[in-house]
Amino acid sequence: IEAIELDSVVNGVLNSLKQIQSQALNMGIIDAPFLFEIETRPAGTRTEVLTDDDIIRLMNSTEGWDSLRNIAKMQLLTGCRVSEVSGMKWEEIDMKVKTWTIPPERIKTEKGYKKMCRPHVIPLMPKMSEILLQQRQHGTTGYVFKKSYANGADTAYPPSSIGRWLKKEVKPDGMSHQLRRTVATRLADMSGMSEFDVKIILNHAVSGQTAKYIHTQQLDRKREIYSKWHKHIDSLMVVKLKIAV
């Protein structure tokens, strides 16, 4: 659905559907806002995905403040929303069991869910842990990705900051949402990946029996999906290295 290029007509239909959805939520007919992930955009515009070269430039980049750079890398590795990554706190990280738990109040889709009781648990893969180890030099309390303020202010980066970094260091028309969409698009193209697999990585809203399945069994499957995705990124780097040599 995110791949649809929304024009003015579709935007109008979407807004109407969202109003119906809101009433259905209030009446208890549905549990979660399934249209939450779809956002209207100006007619004739769409969000591109990163090319192989873009991904390589991003993962190899050493430019800019490391916290800002690492937000973009972590978003590409996890498929999470930029606000979820930039707002990551050390209290959400469990290095013993190797998980990152995003609380419901920080999840876009969960805010529209009446019970708001479902956190998003992400297994920490080696590449993610490497970034966290780099960020430890800035402290182990508060935000993981701290700003480079001399006064030590502990505030989260706004999405616009990540977008500006991408434009400067990765691609001229870079936007933070491109990272999330790149993960979704690339995973969907991989063999052995289902639509359900993409949904649990993006943490799209679900309900009913599907929600119960995700709640109890998602972690192992996420590890498998992330492992395949990160191996794909590694393969791009290896091919680029061979060409350079």
Side-chain angles (χ1 to χ4, degrees), residues 225-236:
I225 297 170
Y226 280 134
S227 179
K228 192 167 185 177
W229 170 232
H230 295 178
K231 285 180 180 178
H232 175 70
I233 293 177
D234 285 338
S235 70
L236 297 179

Side-chain angles (χ1 to χ4, degrees), residues 195-231:
E195 180 182 354
F196 182 78
D197 288 330
V198 177
K199 283 184 176 181
I200 63 174
I201 291 299
L202 297 183
N203 195 34
H204 280 182
V206 293
S207 63
Q209 293 301 315
T210 303
K212 294 178 182 178
Y213 176 83
I214 288 180
H215 179 71
T216 58
Q217 301 188 37
Q218 66 172 334
L219 207 55
D220 288 341
R221 182 54 183 161
K222 280 182 179 178
R223 287 193 183 94
E224 295 174 3
I225 297 170
Y226 280 134
S227 179
K228 192 167 185 177
W229 170 232
H230 295 178
K231 285 180 180 178

Side-chain angles (χ1 to χ4, degrees), residues 132-147:
L132 293 179
L133 288 175
Q134 292 176 25
Q135 293 302 124
R136 279 185 169 180
Q137 65 178 311
H138 304 303
T140 55
T141 58
Y143 288 105
V144 173
F145 302 102
K146 297 181 184 295
K147 287 187 174 182

Side-chain angles (χ1 to χ4, degrees), residues 12-234:
V13 173
L14 179 58
N15 287 328
S16 297
L17 290 174
K18 285 187 174 181
Q19 292 178 11
I20 296 173
Q21 174 183 255
S22 178
Q23 294 181 12
L25 281 167
N26 292 333
M27 296 174 65
I29 299 174
I30 61 175
D31 293 327
F34 295 101
L35 298 178
F36 219 105
E37 287 295 324
I38 313 174
E39 298 180 354
T40 57
R41 292 195 294 264
T45 64
R46 65 191 184 93
T47 304
E48 300 288 348
V49 299
L50 300 188
T51 65
D52 288 353
D53 285 341
D54 293 333
I55 292 175
I56 293 169
R57 276 195 297 273
L58 171 55
M59 296 306 296
N60 279 338
S61 176
T62 58
E63 299 300 321
W65 176 243
D66 52 1
S67 289
L68 187 58
R69 180 178 67 245
N70 282 336
I71 289 174
K73 292 183 179 181
M74 184 67 85
Q75 195 183 358
L76 182 66
L77 292 173
T78 62
C80 289
R81 299 173 182 87
V82 63
S83 60
E84 293 170 348
V85 177
S86 64
M88 180 193 295
K89 293 186 176 181
W90 285 109
E91 64 191 44
E92 300 171 359
I93 305 297
D94 190 327
M95 296 302 290
K96 290 184 178 179
V97 296
K98 297 188 181 303
T99 57
W100 167 31
T101 302
I102 307 175
E105 59 269 20
R106 289 214 306 110
I107 300 173
K108 180 179 179 181
T109 49
E110 193 64 20
K111 291 177 182 178
Y113 185 73
K114 287 187 175 181
K115 297 179 181 178
M116 205 168 85
C117 60
R118 300 175 298 186
H120 183 27
V121 183
I122 298 170
L124 289 178
M125 308 301 288
K127 289 184 180 298
M128 302 176 195
S129 295
E130 287 176 10
I131 290 177
L132 293 179
L133 288 175
Q134 292 176 25
Q135 293 302 124
R136 279 185 169 180
Q137 65 178 311
H138 304 303
T140 55
T141 58
Y143 288 105
V144 173
F145 302 102
K146 297 181 184 295
K147 287 187 174 182
S148 56
Y149 288 161
N151 60 6
D154 192 18
T155 55
Y157 276 99
S160 57
S161 297
I162 292 81
R164 286 195 295 271
W165 183 86
L166 287 168
K167 284 181 171 64
K168 181 179 179 181
E169 305 298 341
V170 179
K171 59 184 305 181
D173 60 345
M175 295 184 292
S176 61
H177 187 67
Q178 290 175 344
L179 302 174
R180 181 170 164 83
R181 188 178 177 197
T182 296
V183 176
T185 303
R186 294 300 185 96
L187 286 180
D189 289 341
M190 289 182 179
S191 61
M193 292 292 176
S194 66
E195 180 182 354
F196 182 78
D197 288 330
V198 177
K199 283 184 176 181
I200 63 174
I201 291 299
L202 297 183
N203 195 34
H204 280 182
V206 293
S207 63
Q209 293 301 315
T210 303
K212 294 178 182 178
Y213 176 83
I214 288 180
H215 179 71
T216 58
Q217 301 188 37
Q218 66 172 334
L219 207 55
D220 288 341
R221 182 54 183 161
K222 280 182 179 178
R223 287 193 183 94
E224 295 174 3
I225 297 170
Y226 280 134
S227 179
K228 192 167 185 177
W229 170 232
H230 295 178
K231 285 180 180 178
H232 175 70
I233 293 177
D234 285 338

